[in-house]
Amino acid sequence: MDMQLTYRGVCVDEPLYNDSVEQAIDCEFTLPDYCPDIQKILKCTLVPKINSCLVSNNLITVDGTAYITLLYCSKEQGELRGYEVPVSFSKNLDTKSDCSGANVSATIKTDYVNCRAVNERKLDIHGAATLHLSVTKCMEKDAVSDSTCSDIQIRKTTMPICETIGCRTKQFTVHEELELGQSNGSLLNIIKYDAEAVFDSCKTVTNKAVVKGSLCIRLLYLSEDQRYEKAQTEFPLNQIVELDGLTEDAATFVKMDVCACELKPYTNADGECRSIMISVKVNITICGSNYREEQLVTDAYCTRYALEPTKEKLMRRRSIEDASCTFTGKSNLQISGGIGDIIDIWCMVVNSSFSYENGELVCRGTVNAGVLVTDASGSCIYYEKPFDFEHRRQMQHPFSESDLTLRAENCSYSISSDETVEIRCDLQLSGTTSYLQQTNLITDLTLHEDQPKQLDDLPAMTLYFANAGESVWDIAVRYNTAADVIMEQNKLTGDVLTADKMLLIPSIV
């Protein structure tokens, strides 16, 4: 018996690594001469950033920088001061599998930070962050798509397939100058700053993507005349990222992150510091995918001989969906003793979780809201309050994994009473969700011609009383006939019966 099979390459996603590890962040530093002595520490924060992620066979090296920001009151005049220390770190992870050409997703978040003043100028920092690494490799697997033998019955199922083109990360540096406004005083000390890269749009051409966005810098500083002032600026970002296999019709998902930022105050000929040279490193990561539907063989049998299908459990990516959105979190903060001047307010996401419930992406977590105020005597006081949030977003597809990040932006406030401040912030959710489904695909068929079926006593027609919900394919297998013959004989339009029905089962042998 001549059996010729047709094969088709199917894109499958093979998970190679998915784990979280702790990264210790420890350092000891002494304030430079231009910083006054410490009277009281108000707040110490640790913000880790990933600079690069290099893959070499089964070894993945993640390099990053943890930015430690100290806010304190000076000993001499009691004014608010700030100082930032970058701490480099590197982590080697053995995935036990060859990850060459794989797609790597790395995220990091702060666990804790403890700050201890050894003396008026020296500090000891102990902290930790959690690094999460997910590695997936897109591979092509040959699966049976058809057979030319009329005695072999095959079951084809139309399956949506999301084929990953690949991911590419490009790092570039932006150099700009921030000039203080005419109404602003000259800069004495940078207390704190925020640097944020915001994605706007992506246009794809052959093997390239044109990505546009903006870089936002916000600054809190102490002026020469001892005032706390703010300044901000925004610069456009335009980059071309090359990715082989990208087409105009491809779906793209883009992430933009600031991985390093350096601010250098510039003093003019008059001895005033009225501009700041900004150097920012930005990472752009773009992932491309193609969507299509494939008819693949999921079951087969032979009406004359024993047939042994070779089945493999393969993980297919059915969909990738952009989950980016913005929602508002808010809370009230009680300030004992009354509210003086509010110097600054900011929010930071300290933990978050994502789940799929009833067709919705559910985002839950906690935000720390911090407020710097001055009391009646002019002394600086820091207040902090954590508050929980929950946001639900309708999704087009279910998901089994996610590559999502959440950050707080655009904090604002209103004073609702003498001791109450209402804090509001925009929570920016960015990233994608994916639906991975395990499917039994037939990768080969083995015909055993030495094991013929007993066909002599088969009736030409069988009467069968079927129940609602039964599959025509399963009935055909049971009676060693063809599903399409049963459907044609009984004028059926679907494989699954919607009601109890009497069927005529013809023999095809």
Side-chain angles (χ1 to χ4, degrees):
M1 181 177 176
D2 185 21
M3 180 182 69
Q4 292 184 353
L5 301 177
T6 303
Y7 297 88
R8 174 171 291 180
V10 179
C11 182
V12 298
D13 287 280
E14 182 180 356
L16 301 181
Y17 187 85
N18 190 3
D19 201 5
S20 297
V21 294
E22 184 180 276
Q23 172 64 51
I25 308 292
D26 299 320
C27 74
E28 190 177 73
F29 65 90
T30 301
L31 293 176
D33 294 339
Y34 59 81
C35 290
D37 291 348
I38 299 172
Q39 179 190 60
K40 179 175 64 174
I41 296 175
L42 299 178
K43 179 66 176 177
C44 181
T45 60
L46 186 155
V47 179
K49 301 280 189 179
I50 294 175
N51 298 332
S52 64
C53 192
L54 302 177
V55 180
S56 177
N57 297 325
N58 63 320
L59 186 66
I60 297 181
T61 302
V62 179
D63 292 323
T65 305
Y67 293 90
I68 298 170
T69 302
L70 177 70
L71 297 180
Y72 70 97
C73 291
S74 70
K75 187 176 181 181
E76 295 179 0
Q77 300 182 13
E79 79 269 17
L80 178 64
R81 289 288 184 138
Y83 185 67
E84 182 181 83
V85 179
V87 179
S88 300
F89 63 86
S90 183
K91 196 78 170 181
N92 293 321
L93 299 168
D94 188 355
T95 64
K96 310 297 183 184
S97 303
D98 185 5
C99 297
S100 302
N103 297 321
V104 180
S105 173
T107 58
I108 192 167
K109 66 175 184 177
T110 304
D111 290 335
Y112 68 90
V113 59
N114 294 321
C115 175
R116 182 178 68 90
V118 178
N119 55 42
E120 294 174 341
R121 302 196 61 78
K122 189 175 182 179
L123 294 106
D124 188 25
I125 307 294
H126 293 284
T130 295
L131 172 67
H132 181 78
L133 197 67
S134 176
V135 184
T136 305
K137 196 168 189 177
C138 184
M139 305 177 65
E140 191 172 89
K141 189 75 176 180
D142 284 338
V144 177
S145 62
D146 209 344
S147 170
T148 59
C149 181
S150 60
D151 292 324
I152 294 179
Q153 306 299 318
I154 60 174
R155 184 181 198 178
K156 291 185 178 182
T157 303
T158 301
M159 298 181 182
I161 293 179
C162 177
E163 183 178 29
T164 303
I165 297 172
C167 292
R168 174 75 186 277
T169 297
K170 180 180 181 181
Q171 186 177 101
F172 61 98
T173 303
V174 179
H175 300 284
E176 294 287 351
E177 182 179 3
L178 169 60
E179 295 185 356
L180 301 179
Q182 294 296 324
S183 60
N184 289 74
S186 299
L187 186 148
L188 176 64
N189 173 249
I190 297 175
I191 299 172
K192 65 183 294 291
Y193 70 90
D194 294 312
E196 176 190 359
V198 181
F199 167 69
D200 180 31
S201 64
C202 177
K203 182 180 179 180
T204 58
V205 293
T206 303
N207 299 327
K208 292 181 182 179
V210 181
V211 181
K212 294 184 178 181
S214 58
L215 179 65
C216 303
I217 307 291
R218 290 178 286 270
L219 187 73
L220 172 68
Y221 71 95
L222 178 67
S223 66
E224 293 281 0
D225 53 2
Q226 300 296 305
R227 290 186 302 166
Y228 301 113
E229 301 195 44
K230 296 179 182 179
Q232 68 179 42
T233 188
E234 183 173 323
F235 309 113
L237 297 177
N238 296 279
Q239 287 291 313
I240 296 177
V241 183
E242 296 183 353
L243 179 59
D244 290 341
L246 204 61
T247 63
E248 293 183 4
D249 299 328
T252 55
F253 307 95
V254 181
K255 291 174 66 174
M256 302 181 71
D257 298 294
V258 172
C259 59
C261 183
E262 184 180 10
L263 306 182
K264 289 185 178 181
Y266 175 75
T267 302
N268 58 25
D270 298 330
E272 292 184 331
C273 181
R274 300 201 56 81
S275 63
I276 303 166
M277 303 307 296
I278 301 173
S279 179
V280 182
K281 287 184 179 179
V282 180
N283 277 343
I284 293 182
T285 300
I286 178 169
C287 295
S289 300
N290 285 324
Y291 291 91
R292 69 175 190 270
E293 289 188 341
E294 290 278 7
Q295 275 202 333
L296 300 174
V297 177
T298 56
D299 201 1
Y301 65 94
C302 181
T303 55
R304 289 187 178 274
Y305 302 98
L307 184 70
E308 182 183 358
T310 300
K311 294 184 178 181
E312 289 191 36
K313 291 183 177 181
L314 302 176
M315 191 67 71
R316 297 182 304 107
R317 190 177 300 274
R318 294 192 57 176
S319 65
I320 300 178
E321 187 171 354
D322 189 352
S324 301
C325 64
T326 302
F327 57 96
T328 302
K330 60 182 180 179
S331 180
N332 290 327
L333 177 63
Q334 300 295 321
I335 298 180
S336 58
I339 301 172
D341 291 330
I342 295 180
I343 301 172
D344 196 18
I345 182 170
W346 66 88
C347 293
M348 179 179 294
V349 178
V350 292
N351 64 70
S352 58
S353 64
F354 311 99
S355 60
Y356 182 74
E357 301 174 13
N358 301 320
E360 294 178 321
L361 165 64
V362 182
C363 176
R364 298 184 178 94
T366 304
V367 170
N368 264 358
V371 180
L372 280 168
V373 301
T374 57
D375 59 15
S377 64
S379 299
C380 294
I381 305 173
Y382 176 72
Y383 291 91
E384 185 175 276
K385 180 185 178 182
F387 65 89
D388 297 330
F389 64 86
E390 178 179 306
H391 178 72
R392 295 176 176 267
R393 184 186 188 280
Q394 194 71 35
M395 303 294 288
Q396 294 182 356
H397 307 284
F399 64 88
S400 54
E401 66 174 23
S402 60
D403 182 14
L404 298 171
T405 56
L406 188 68
R407 59 190 179 194
E409 303 173 349
N410 302 325
C411 295
S412 61
Y413 68 91
S414 60
I415 300 175
S416 54
S417 69
D418 292 341
E419 296 186 346
T420 304
V421 178
E422 184 183 69
I423 301 170
R424 297 178 299 277
C425 68
D426 291 337
L427 294 171
Q428 176 63 52
L429 178 66
S430 59
T432 60
T433 59
S434 300
Y435 183 27
L436 292 176
Q437 186 180 51
Q438 193 175 68
T439 305
N440 289 326
L441 292 182
I442 294 179
T443 57
D444 205 357
L445 294 173
T446 303
L447 186 66
H448 298 283
E449 295 188 66
D450 57 342
Q451 300 177 31
K453 293 184 176 180
Q454 299 299 322
L455 307 174
D456 297 338
D457 56 350
L458 289 179
M461 190 74 70
T462 301
L463 190 62
Y464 176 71
F465 292 92
N467 296 320
E470 283 195 77
S471 166
V472 176
W473 174 266
D474 293 337
I475 297 171
V477 173
R478 189 184 313 160
Y479 288 96
N480 199 47
T481 187
D484 55 353
V485 172
I486 296 177
M487 295 181 68
E488 183 179 354
Q489 178 70 44
N490 297 275
K491 295 182 173 54
L492 301 175
T493 57
D495 177 65
V496 178
L497 298 175
T498 58
D500 296 347
K501 188 175 182 62
M502 182 183 71
L503 299 179
L504 293 176
I505 313 296
S507 174
I508 62 170
V509 180

